[in-house]
Amino acid sequence: MRIDLETAKLFLPALVVGITVHEFAHAWTASLLGDNLARRQGRVSLNPLRHLSPLGTLVILFLPFGWGRPVPVNLYNFRRPKWDYLLSSLAGPAANILTAALILPLTYLTRHTLAFGLAGEARMVLVHNIVVSAFLLNLLLATLNLLPIPPLDGSKIWPVLIPRLKTALEGRMTLVFLIGVFALLSTGALNRVFDAVITPALRLLPATDGVVFNGHLARWQREFQAGRYEQARQSIDAALAVCPDSAHALYGRAETLAELGQWEPALADIDRAIELNDFEPDYLTLRARILEALARPDEAAADRKRAELLRGPGE
Amino acid sequence: MIRLLRKLFALPFIWLGQLAVMLQQPGPAIPLLRMAWRISGEGRIGLTALVQVFRVYGREASSAEARQWMQKHPRTEVAAWAGLLALDSKRLEDARQMLDRGLQLGRDREGMLDMLQLRVMLVEGDTDRLRQFCRDMEARRDATPQVSKTILSFLAMDALEGGRFDEARRRASFLLQVEDSAAAHVVLWALATRDGREDVAARHLRRASACDRLECLSQQAVAADAIGDTEQSRRCLAELHETRPEFAEGMEERLARRREQQA
């Protein structure tokens, strides 16, 4: 078994949120319906420490899921035992779906991964990915828990709705089923069930700045190579609107403008690109070409010489 | 802060110990949980360790260890466990002492002290106090399933004995909404017998017997007496005497007490 710290970094906050709201919802609903056992045990709380199972949390190092401590429920304390148990069991998955719905707007708020420039991109991407993980993991927790396999919530929900179905088990058999759930998750046997939920959910997620930027850049490249410079300019303008500090995009626009014969704005762009990255010989070569077109041969020669130095004798 | 640190240090022992318990390996579970208990001082962990000691070394070993722990680090769960073991050994006075100590320390989250209090009261047989305790517990709605089942069964039978037949029927029917219960079926058997619905009575008796034969016999002895069928009550007690004399004696005491109170 391999310890996957990268996955853990992404999924741990998501798992903590998912499990806490799931178990809190069970406890709170049970308490509302008259069963105060969970309240007595301190489980009607949004404090994650009250709900996390040490083993269920550590497992995140090996697998992209985990579990919490089950909330104790006493059916004798309910007024309508069967239906109140159904409601309190449904509350956990329902809370995960509600949490996912609340997290979805956050994915839109954090999609601007280039909001703090290229320097802050890595951190912003991490934040966005954690938010996306929380969204997806809450949906996965809801889906997994609705399966009619003990000790999952579905094993308590479905027998109430389908009277002949008897799946809630006690003691050692629960452990056997728990190992079964592990096996199903580890082998990917449940992937088709999860895909049915995750695939449409992914369509709801916004593209990040990085994805939008790369899309515009790819379109610019295609159109530039095809000689459609006006369209190429529109694409590169769109890319620079997302990330104004991208030296590569500035170089691309300078190149496009040069092809369109707009030398002055091309010079402004390539100057800015070189300001951001003055070790790129291609940038210096382009500026030399633009300067020559603007009848500034001395400066052009200096750029060419520096470009040759940067490229080295072999190139 | 110190409590949190102790708990953190104890965590690996708790996890490994509980894993061993899950895998039905009390041998390694006991030293790990003992260590976890010593570090964390948490009564819940102590209780888990004591239960494992009980499984491997028996009642006396677990009881001795619990009493020893109570002297050094008194905790409600440990007091409750020591009290329950004392009751099992028919040492009512020890159980009462542990109950008092537990009540001083405060109620535990796991509901062990409630169970001890309930069982001590059942043995003491003061029906009025027991009824009041059960009604208070019922109103609080925070008991564990085991305690709830016992108090609701008692209240159903108590209603039958007190001639509050509608209450008895309502309580017994409620118990059966959760799961099959010998006591609930016996109450419904008594009510159906009293109403002359022999087929319903027979069905309830069959189901009560299928749930738990001994429980069925002992409850039937009380229920039959409550509806005036003393002959049936005697037959049940006689049958109970043959299989579990201590059960029969307890029931006879209970019936005698009730007759005294009625007189």
Side-chain angles (χ1 to χ4, degrees), chain A residues 36 40-41 54 74 77 81, chain B residues 15 107-109 114 141 143 148:
Chain A
N36 290 325
R40 175 183 179 171
Q41 297 196 353
N74 180 358
N77 288 332
Chain B
W15 294 344
R107 293 170 75 218
D108 61 316
R109 287 182 165 184
D114 293 338
R141 289 180 176 273
S148 283

Side-chain angles (χ1 to χ4, degrees), chain B residues 147-162:
Chain B
V147 170
S148 283
K149 190 174 180 178
T150 312
I151 62 169
L152 293 177
S153 301
F154 168 79
L155 287 173
M157 191 58 82
D158 182 61
L160 184 77
E161 288 180 271

Side-chain angles (χ1 to χ4, degrees), chain A residues 34-37 40-42 49-50 54-55 58 73-82 172 175 178, chain B residues 15 19 22 24 107-111 114 140-145 148-149 152 174-175 177-179:
Chain A
D35 176 20
N36 290 325
L37 179 59
R40 175 183 179 171
Q41 297 196 353
L49 294 175
R50 297 269 169 94
L55 202 63
L58 274 186
V73 174
N74 180 358
L75 273 72
Y76 293 106
N77 288 332
F78 287 135
R79 288 173 194 94
R80 301 161 304 165
K82 208 171 164 184
R172 202 182 285 190
L175 186 64
L178 196 65
Chain B
W15 294 344
L19 190 68
M22 265 173 78
Q24 315 268 330
R107 293 170 75 218
D108 61 316
R109 287 182 165 184
E110 315 303 318
D114 293 338
R140 245 177 21 213
R141 289 180 176 273
D142 64 356
T144 57
S148 283
K149 190 174 180 178
L152 293 177
F174 179 80
L175 275 163
Q177 279 184 49
V178 177
E179 66 175 5

